[in-house]
């Protein structure tokens, strides 16, 4: 009998003892019907207790005859009362008490209480999150440990259950598995239940059987313990952005319902406590401090205790790993994650094909071990079914060619032990791999080996995206990366000022612009998920969710922003609404009136008409102007009364962009800069200027209002055009932008006027500052903090090679050449000292 069952047996005896007191009172007051009913209940309870003891200890156990005698005694007393309608209260109580003492002594001394612990994994590949705890339980002579793999279901997009899976036959041979229907939770009442799935019904892709939801399991055990199936990158509890980035892991049903939660470290424990206290309320802090234990992860136990000499390696794997001379190639662990595939879609599929192409060409020197996330199939089929067939073809081709290893087994530790280098998407496996090996390489999904020449890719990656000036400092965000950079104009010193922790390091075009307000910097999202506010004085970074975009993976969200009446107004591009951020209250509101108005316009056109919102919008006299391309309609949105009007440019099928506004008008041009419109909104008048110059630029990237003139900068070369606001004439001004040594680096990323200066960010990584009144300029050579290395040429940022704190960017093919020349791949010294946190978790959860 387990401890919980023995405790419940004691509870039965306490109830019988109280019932005896009530029988005595009923007899003393001559309430014979009440006394007889109580005796019947005592008999039923004794029979139930006997059944429980017999089930646990076997038929004929010494306590059973004592319970049978007790039942006979209660029957005799019942019959005596029924027949005589009288009985001695003291005599009855004494005889019942004497029998009960015998039973109580037998339960206490004859029944040896054992600990009964149940482990409920669902996916075999996640068993490592429980295994070392199970081993400690299995080695305890006073514990009966049961491993009960539970079934789970794939989900349809509507949340309904689809196919059921059971992986009980995929566990290691040394793990005795119990069929989930053979264990009676209601009767056995295990002392402890360990789970690793915290989601209950909150997972969009899969669900364990509802019986095994944490909220249901609580009723069958004295202590429900949750251990995460994943490892997270360590988070500083004082870093608000980083904490919020992992907050959703902390508030899952399994965390809330469990009696104890085991996390990977003390720092992570503090993160959980912080998030949960905020989620529930400050009064709950002591509860979480007791409940959350930072004892470590059994997954690390598994990885560090796995040794190559103990592994059984499939022969087909060895054919890939071994060279002709019998020596082993470098083995690269290639990890593709669910999130990367969901986020990048077809681009991720192209990246995978590109990776396989490169490794196939180098198969004589390096072996690729591809281990995709075990939930990719279920996730893609449920959430992105259109990707599944293409993904499946990639898998089939990779497996059929046979030059690489495809590992979809449950044994993650084996794959980590066999590998030398990690390459792929960041996930919990990254942190596990780091415990054993030091070489971690993160793939850049956006960069393909053969897409562009080295110079073209260097151009694409090297320049900066957004900029603002405060005093003598320039603040920059990179076109690729999540760092805020600061440059001191006077001292020519660079520094990494801050990091946007909630944004991926490899993400492109996080921000379209930076707006300054009362010494604070506000970062206008392009691909970024949130609005960021940065204080350069105290170096505090805060962010605010854009609720309307929380579930949308949008790039080009906004085309810019401006300040209006203490509101930061975000000018839409791909965004579905005009977003207004109150700079005092920090509240976000939305306006969709222009969308409703645009819908009415669109209804007038054929469904085949390809209509899009122009890249640039502008602000003029309390109004925002947005341009609908291909139907040439300029929408005027009044910020005061929320009204909308349309100005028809009468140029169907053409693409226009708003250049800027001045004190009287809004300037619009087509992408060839041949047709230019000056629109006077108040008068509803349009002036049109047509140019016949065949050499004008075909596209432009930056527009700067220079007062009497509008400067228009080309995207891919150094051509600059000046538009005269008085007469609408446009001409090229060659003396403005100084040429680079290499024309392939030409072009401008963006331009911005600050005071009497124009700041022009060039695609060669240089910043050109032009004094407008004096027509003088200087060029600043900016350094990119991703770690570019100037050698014979600029190398492409295809991957991040992180070793200690060194960061290099090199093509994947070059990286393979480097690792195959290394004599020895460094292994983490911690691998020699396995942490036995599984034993500590078992002891803390079961004997405290």
């Amino acid at each position: 009998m387990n401890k919980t069952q023995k405790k419940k047996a004691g509870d039965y005896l306490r109830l019988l003892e109280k019932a005896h007191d009530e029988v005595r009172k009923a007899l003393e007051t001559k309430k014979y019907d009440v006394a007889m009913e109580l005796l019947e209940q005592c008999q039923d309870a004794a029979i139930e207790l006997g059944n429980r003891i017999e089930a646990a200890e076997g038929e004929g156990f010494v306590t059973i005859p004592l319970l049978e005698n007790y039942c006979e005694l209660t029957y005799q007393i019942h019959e005596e009362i029924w027949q005589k309608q009288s009985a001695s209260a003291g005599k009855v109580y004494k005889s019942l008490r004497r029998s009960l003492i015998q039973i109580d002594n037998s339960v206490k001394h004859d029944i040896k209480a054992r600990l009964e612990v149940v482990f409920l994994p669902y996916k075999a590949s996640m068993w490592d999150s429980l295994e070392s705890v199970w081993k400690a339980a299995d080695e305890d002579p006073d514990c009966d440990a049961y491993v009960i793999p539970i079934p789970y279901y794939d989900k349809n997009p509507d949340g309904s259950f689809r196919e059921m899976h059971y992986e009980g036959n995929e566990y290691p041979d040394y793990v005795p598995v119990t069929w989930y229907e053979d264990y009676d939770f209601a009767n056995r009442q295990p002392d402890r239940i360990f789970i690793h799935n915290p989601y209950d019904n909150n997972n969009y892709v899969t669900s364990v059987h509802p019986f095994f939801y944490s909220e249901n399991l609580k009723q069958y055990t004295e202590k429900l313990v949750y251990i995460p199936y994943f490892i997270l990158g360590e988070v500083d509890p004082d870093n608000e952005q980083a904490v919020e980035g992992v907050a959703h892991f902390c508030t899952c049903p399994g965390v809330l319902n469990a009696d104890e939660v085991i996390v990977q470290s003390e720092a992570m424990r503090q993160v959980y406590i912080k998030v949960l206290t905020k989620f529930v309320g400050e009064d709950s802090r002591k509860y979480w401090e007791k409940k959350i234990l930072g004892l470590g992860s059994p997954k690390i136990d598994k990885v560090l205790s796995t040794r190559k000499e103990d592994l059984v390696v499939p022969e087909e794997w060895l054919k890939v790993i071994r060279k002709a001379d019998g020596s082993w190639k470098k083995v690269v662990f290639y990890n593709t994650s669910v999130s990367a595939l969901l986020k990048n879609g077809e681009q991720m599929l192209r990246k995978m094909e590109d990776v396989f192409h490169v490794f196939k060409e180098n198969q004589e020197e390096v072996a690729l071990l591809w281990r995709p996330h075990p939930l990719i199939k279920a996730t893609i089929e449920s959430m992105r079914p259109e990707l599944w067939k293409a993904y499946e073809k990639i898998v089939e081709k990779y497996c059929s060619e046979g030059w690489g290893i495809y590992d979809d087994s449950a044994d993650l530790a084996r794959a980590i032990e066999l590998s030398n280098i990690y390459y792929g998407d960041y996930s919990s496996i990254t942190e596990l791999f780091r415990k054993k090996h030091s070489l971690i390489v993160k793939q850049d999904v956006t960069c393909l080996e053969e897409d562009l020449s080295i110079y073209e890719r260097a151009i694409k990656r090297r320049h900066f995206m957004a900029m603002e000036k405060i005093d003598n400092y320039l603040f920059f965000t990179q076109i690729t990366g999540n760092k805020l950079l600061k440059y001191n104009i006077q001292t020519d010193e660079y520094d990494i000022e801050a990091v946007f922790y909630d944004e991926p390091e490899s993400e492109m075009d996080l921000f379209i612009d930076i707006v300054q307000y009362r010494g604070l910097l506000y970062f206008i999202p392009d691909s970024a998920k949130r609005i960021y506010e940065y204080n350069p004085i105290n170096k505090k970074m805060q962010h605010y969710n854009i609720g309307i975009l929380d579930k949308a993976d949008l790039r080009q969200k906004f085309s810019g922003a401006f300040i209006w009446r203490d509101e930061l107004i975000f000018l839409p591009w791909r965004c579905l609404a005009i977003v207004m951020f109150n700079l005092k209250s920090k509240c976000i509101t939305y306006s969709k009136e222009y969308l409703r108005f645009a819908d009415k316009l669109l209804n007038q056109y054929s469904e085949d008409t390809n209509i899009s919102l122009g890249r640039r919008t502008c602000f003029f006299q309390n109004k925002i102007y947005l341009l609908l391309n291909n139907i040439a309609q300029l929408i005027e949105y009044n910020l005061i009364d929320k009204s909308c009007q349309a100005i028809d440019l009468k140029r169907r099928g053409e693409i226009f962009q708003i250049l800027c506004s001045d004190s009287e008008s809004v300037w619009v041009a087509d992408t060839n800069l041949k047709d230019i419109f000056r629109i006077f909104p108040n008068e509803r008048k349009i002036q049109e200027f047509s140019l016949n110059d065949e050499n004008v630029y075909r596209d432009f990237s930056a527009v700067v209002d220079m007062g009497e003139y509008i400067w228009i900068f080309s995207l891919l070369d150094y051509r600059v055009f000046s538009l005269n606001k008085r007469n609408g004439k446009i001409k090229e001004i060659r003396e403005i932008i100084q040429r680079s040594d290499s024309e392939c680096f030409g072009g401008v990323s963006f331009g911005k006027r600050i005071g009497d200066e124009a700041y022009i960010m060039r695609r060669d990584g240089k910043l050109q500052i032009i004094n407008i009144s004096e027509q003088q300029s200087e060029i600043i050579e900016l350094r990119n903090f991703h770690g570019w290395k100037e050698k014979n040429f600029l190398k492409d940022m295809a991957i991040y090679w992180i070793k200690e704190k060194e960061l290099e960017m090199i093509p994947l093919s070059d990286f393979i050449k480097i690792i195959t020349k290394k004599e020895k791949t460094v292994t983490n010294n911690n691998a020699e000292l396995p942490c036995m946190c599984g034993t500590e978790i078992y002891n803390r959860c079961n004997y405290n």
Side-chain angles (χ1 to χ4, degrees):
M1 181 173 277
N2 64 43
K3 289 185 175 182
T4 299
Q5 290 171 327
K6 185 171 181 178
K7 180 178 180 298
K8 287 188 178 294
D11 293 339
Y12 270 94
L13 297 176
R14 302 292 80 76
L15 288 172
L16 288 173
E17 187 175 357
K18 291 181 179 179
H20 295 171
D21 289 334
E22 295 302 317
V23 170
R24 180 177 60 181
K25 292 177 182 179
L27 291 175
E28 287 173 344
T29 57
K30 302 188 184 303
K31 296 179 180 178
Y32 300 120
D33 290 343
V34 174
M36 287 189 291
E37 184 178 352
L38 287 168
L39 288 167
E40 291 172 4
Q41 293 175 1
C42 289
Q43 188 179 58
D44 291 341
I47 293 171
E48 175 64 21
L49 177 57
N51 291 336
R52 288 176 176 269
I53 293 174
E54 190 172 72
E57 301 296 327
E59 188 176 354
F61 188 72
V62 294
T63 311
I64 303 301
L66 299 176
L67 285 164
E68 291 172 347
N69 293 338
Y70 175 84
C71 290
E72 180 62 28
L73 176 62
T74 56
Y75 174 75
Q76 291 176 358
I77 295 171
H78 180 280
E79 289 301 302
E80 180 182 351
I81 296 171
W82 179 67
Q83 291 175 8
K84 297 181 179 180
Q85 289 295 300
S86 68
S88 169
K91 184 178 178 180
V92 168
Y93 178 77
K94 189 173 183 178
S95 60
L96 290 171
R97 184 172 180 274
R98 185 185 299 115
S99 179
L100 189 63
I101 289 173
Q102 291 177 332
I103 298 169
D104 190 32
N105 288 334
S106 180
V107 169
K108 286 180 179 178
H109 303 296
D110 295 328
I111 297 176
K112 183 179 180 182
R114 296 177 58 75
L115 195 65
E116 187 162 321
V117 180
V118 169
F119 297 85
L120 298 179
Y122 79 109
K123 287 197 68 66
S125 59
M126 298 174 182
W127 167 239
D128 57 356
S129 61
L130 299 176
E131 185 177 88
S132 64
V133 185
W134 166 78
K135 283 185 174 181
D138 190 54
E139 293 170 0
D140 184 353
D142 296 323
C143 176
D144 296 319
Y146 294 85
V147 178
I148 308 176
I150 59 180
Y152 67 95
Y153 299 87
D154 295 333
K155 280 187 170 184
N156 293 309
D158 63 0
S160 60
F161 288 176
R162 192 167 70 241
E163 182 182 359
M164 190 187 87
H165 303 276
Y166 174 76
E167 299 184 1
N169 59 341
E170 299 180 27
Y171 287 74
D173 294 338
Y174 55 81
V175 179
V177 167
T178 299
W179 176 249
Y180 64 94
E181 289 184 346
D182 290 344
Y183 189 90
D184 190 339
F185 284 84
N187 285 324
R188 299 189 70 98
Q189 295 284 314
D191 300 294
R192 306 288 184 268
I193 295 178
F194 286 84
I195 61 173
H196 65 65
N197 175 18
Y199 301 114
D200 287 3
N201 195 38
N202 288 6
N203 192 322
Y204 294 115
V205 177
T206 61
S207 171
V208 297
H209 189 289
F211 177 85
F212 298 102
Y213 288 169
S214 60
E215 62 181 0
N216 187 55
L217 291 174
K218 281 179 65 70
Q219 65 180 308
Y220 298 116
T221 184
E222 182 183 49
K223 186 182 288 185
L224 180 65
V225 183
Y226 162 60
I227 303 177
Y229 67 85
F230 50 82
I231 294 286
L232 298 174
E234 285 297 327
V235 173
D236 181 357
D238 295 326
N239 186 319
E240 296 294 338
Q241 289 98 336
V243 169
E244 188 163 331
V246 300
H248 60 287
F249 292 110
C250 308
T251 55
C252 293
V255 176
L256 301 175
N257 292 325
D259 298 294
E260 289 182 345
V261 175
I262 312 300
V263 295
Q264 65 198 51
S265 66
E266 178 58 29
M268 193 60 69
R269 172 177 177 262
Q270 294 301 326
V271 169
Y272 270 69
I273 292 170
K274 188 171 188 176
V275 171
L276 288 163
T277 301
K278 182 179 179 181
F279 184 70
V280 177
E282 187 61 36
D283 293 343
S284 66
R285 178 175 293 278
K286 288 186 178 180
Y287 171 77
W288 301 117
E289 288 176 345
K290 182 179 180 181
K291 175 173 172 173
I292 311 297
L293 304 176
L295 302 179
S297 172
K299 295 178 77 70
I300 298 174
D301 283 355
K302 178 67 174 178
V303 167
L304 296 186
S305 62
T306 300
R307 293 289 179 265
K308 190 175 295 185
E309 54 269 22
D310 300 326
L311 296 177
V312 177
V313 184
E315 184 60 34
E316 58 267 27
W317 289 22
L318 292 174
K319 291 178 182 178
V320 174
I321 295 174
R322 286 177 180 151
K323 295 182 180 180
D325 60 4
S327 63
W328 279 34
K329 307 171 188 176
K330 288 290 190 302
V331 180
V332 176
F333 184 114
Y334 183 43
N335 175 40
T336 51
S337 69
V338 172
S339 58
L341 194 52
L342 286 176
K343 179 180 180 181
N344 299 288
E346 293 180 357
Q347 175 64 33
M348 180 64 179
L349 299 181
R350 290 194 294 271
K351 176 63 178 180
M352 290 163 57
E353 290 177 319
D354 191 62
V355 169
F356 295 146
H357 172 74
V358 174
F359 275 97
K360 183 179 179 180
E361 287 187 339
N362 293 274
Q363 61 180 291
E364 296 302 319
E365 294 297 325
V366 63
L368 186 69
L369 190 157
W370 179 25
R371 186 178 172 88
H373 192 283
L375 290 178
I376 277 185
K377 179 179 186 294
T379 304
I380 301 305
E381 281 187 325
S382 174
M383 301 180 70
R384 298 288 296 277
E386 72 279 4
L387 289 177
W388 174 244
K389 288 186 177 179
Y391 176 82
E392 196 173 30
K393 286 181 180 178
I394 292 174
V395 174
E396 290 173 354
K397 180 182 178 183
Y398 177 83
C399 293
S400 64
E401 290 179 347
W403 56 266
I405 297 169
Y406 182 77
D407 183 13
D408 60 352
S409 71
D411 196 349
L412 170 62
R414 175 179 64 178
I416 293 177
E417 177 64 20
L418 290 176
S419 303
N420 307 105
I421 300 114
Y422 177 96
Y423 175 62
D425 305 319
Y426 178 84
S427 73
S428 61
I429 295 177
T430 313
E431 299 306 316
L432 278 176
F433 199 96
R434 203 187 301 276
K435 298 294 182 181
K436 203 68 179 276
H437 308 286
S438 63
L439 196 52
I440 308 294
V441 181
K442 182 180 178 183
Q443 75 175 346
D444 180 357
V445 175
T446 66
C447 189
L448 304 182
E449 187 77 10
E450 299 178 355
D451 261 1
L452 303 167
S453 71
I454 288 174
Y455 281 111
E456 288 172 325
R457 282 182 279 173
I459 294 171
K460 181 181 178 184
R461 300 295 187 177
R462 199 164 194 260
H463 56 285
F464 297 78
M465 190 63 191
M467 186 211 75
E468 185 54 80
K469 180 183 179 185
I470 297 181
D471 299 327
N472 292 318
Y473 295 97
L474 299 178
F475 294 86
F476 294 94
T477 63
Q478 297 166 281
I479 194 168
T480 303
N482 62 352
K483 296 177 179 65
L484 174 62
L485 311 180
K486 183 172 74 172
Y487 170 68
N488 188 318
I489 297 175
Q490 290 185 335
T491 63
D492 193 35
E493 293 177 345
Y494 296 82
D495 197 3
I496 298 176
E497 177 75 359
V499 178
F500 303 96
Y501 284 102
D502 282 356
E503 308 296 338
E505 186 177 6
S506 60
E507 187 63 84
M508 290 185 62
D509 302 337
L510 285 177
F511 306 102
I512 192 71
D513 198 3
I514 306 173
V515 174
Q516 181 187 164
Y517 178 75
R518 296 184 179 179
L520 300 178
L521 297 177
Y522 292 90
F523 298 84
I524 314 307
D526 185 314
S527 65
K529 305 181 190 71
R530 297 169 173 86
I531 300 168
Y532 289 82
E533 173 191 275
Y534 181 69
N535 188 330
I537 304 300
N538 60 20
K539 300 186 182 300
K540 185 176 181 181
M541 181 80 76
Q542 298 192 60
H543 65 253
Y544 305 91
N545 291 333
I546 314 170
I548 199 169
L549 299 177
D550 280 351
K551 296 183 180 179
D553 182 21
L554 290 180
R555 292 180 177 273
Q556 301 173 340
K557 294 179 177 70
F558 304 104
S559 65
F562 64 92
I563 305 295
W564 180 76
R565 297 183 178 180
D566 290 325
E567 297 266 1
L568 183 58
I569 309 294
F570 292 82
L571 300 172
W573 188 358
R574 299 283 188 262
C575 178
L576 299 178
I578 295 173
V579 177
M580 293 163 284
F581 178 69
N582 191 293
L583 295 164
K584 291 183 177 179
S585 67
K586 311 299 184 184
C587 293
I588 296 177
T589 55
Y590 314 99
S591 174
K592 294 186 178 180
E593 282 81 3
Y594 90 89
L595 282 178
R596 300 187 186 99
F597 182 79
D599 282 340
K600 293 179 182 178
L601 286 176
L602 299 183
N603 289 334
Q604 303 173 21
Y605 299 92
S606 167
E607 293 182 358
D608 296 332
T609 305
N610 183 18
I611 302 172
S612 62
L613 189 66
R615 174 183 175 184
R616 288 184 175 81
T617 52
C618 76
F619 174 70
F620 170 73
Q621 294 182 353
N622 297 322
K623 298 170 186 175
I624 296 174
Y625 290 87
L626 310 102
L627 192 60
L628 292 181
N629 280 318
N630 284 325
I631 61 172
Q633 294 282 349
L634 187 69
I635 298 179
E636 176 188 273
Y637 174 77
N638 192 313
L639 286 167
I640 297 175
D641 61 16
K642 314 300 182 187
S643 64
C644 292
Q645 298 186 61
I647 301 174
D648 191 350
L649 302 183
K650 298 180 180 180
R651 289 294 186 92
R652 303 292 178 264
E654 295 187 28
I655 305 297
F656 290 87
Q657 290 194 41
I658 296 175
L659 296 178
C660 66
S661 62
D662 54 35
S663 60
E664 300 177 284
S665 58
V666 174
W667 290 84
V668 175
D670 71 348
T671 54
N672 294 320
L673 291 181
K674 287 187 175 181
D675 293 323
I676 298 174
F677 298 91
R678 186 182 188 186
I679 301 149
F680 298 86
N682 295 334
E683 304 171 18
R684 286 297 186 267
K685 184 177 75 173
I686 300 176
Q687 285 184 351
E688 182 176 347
F689 305 93
S690 295
L691 305 177
N692 297 319
D693 185 359
E694 296 296 330
N695 296 319
V696 295
Y697 187 55
R698 292 169 296 173
D699 198 1
F700 51 91
S701 59
V703 178
V704 179
D705 188 347
M706 308 298 287
E708 294 183 12
Y709 297 90
I710 301 171
W711 283 0
I712 304 167
F713 297 83
S714 64
L715 179 64
L716 295 176
D717 60 30
Y718 290 109
R719 303 180 73 187
V720 184
F721 299 90
S722 174
L723 172 63
N724 189 316
K725 291 182 181 180
R726 292 193 304 271
N727 54 27
K729 291 185 178 180
I730 189 169
K731 67 175 182 178
E732 183 176 355
I733 44 177
R734 292 183 171 272
E735 66 274 12
I736 294 298
I737 297 294
Q738 300 178 25
R739 298 297 197 266
S740 173
D741 293 336
S742 174
E743 285 297 321
C744 70
F745 286 119
V748 169
S749 301
F750 73 91
K752 188 171 187 175
R753 178 172 180 170
I754 302 176
D756 196 37
E757 294 177 319
Y759 290 78
I760 310 301
M761 178 54 62
R762 300 151 53 113
R763 292 172 61 86
D764 60 1
K766 298 175 182 178
L767 176 69
Q768 186 164 346
I769 305 175
I770 303 171
N771 187 296
I772 297 171
S773 59
E774 299 177 5
Q775 294 290 297
Q776 296 179 346
S777 69
E778 62 173 319
I779 290 181
I780 297 173
E781 181 79 34
L782 298 175
R783 292 199 296 269
N784 188 308
F785 279 85
H786 270 307
W788 282 91
K789 304 295 181 181
E790 295 283 355
K791 295 181 181 177
N792 297 331
F793 53 80
L794 290 174
K795 289 189 174 182
D796 164 56
M797 186 193 74
I799 51 178
Y800 299 151
W801 178 18
I802 304 169
K803 181 180 176 184
E804 295 175 349
K805 292 186 178 179
E806 179 182 2
L807 185 65
E808 293 190 40
M809 299 177 189
I810 53 178
L812 184 54
S813 54
D814 285 356
F815 170 74
I816 290 175
K817 293 175 184 177
I818 292 172
I819 63 174
T820 52
K821 289 180 180 179
K822 283 180 157 304
E823 294 182 3
K824 182 179 179 181
T825 302
V826 180
T827 299
N828 194 325
N829 291 330
N830 291 337
E832 304 299 325
L833 300 170
C835 66
M836 300 307 295
C837 68
T839 301
E840 184 179 1
I841 292 170
Y842 171 75
N843 291 334
R844 285 284 296 273
C845 293
N846 294 301
Y847 292 109
N848 284 349

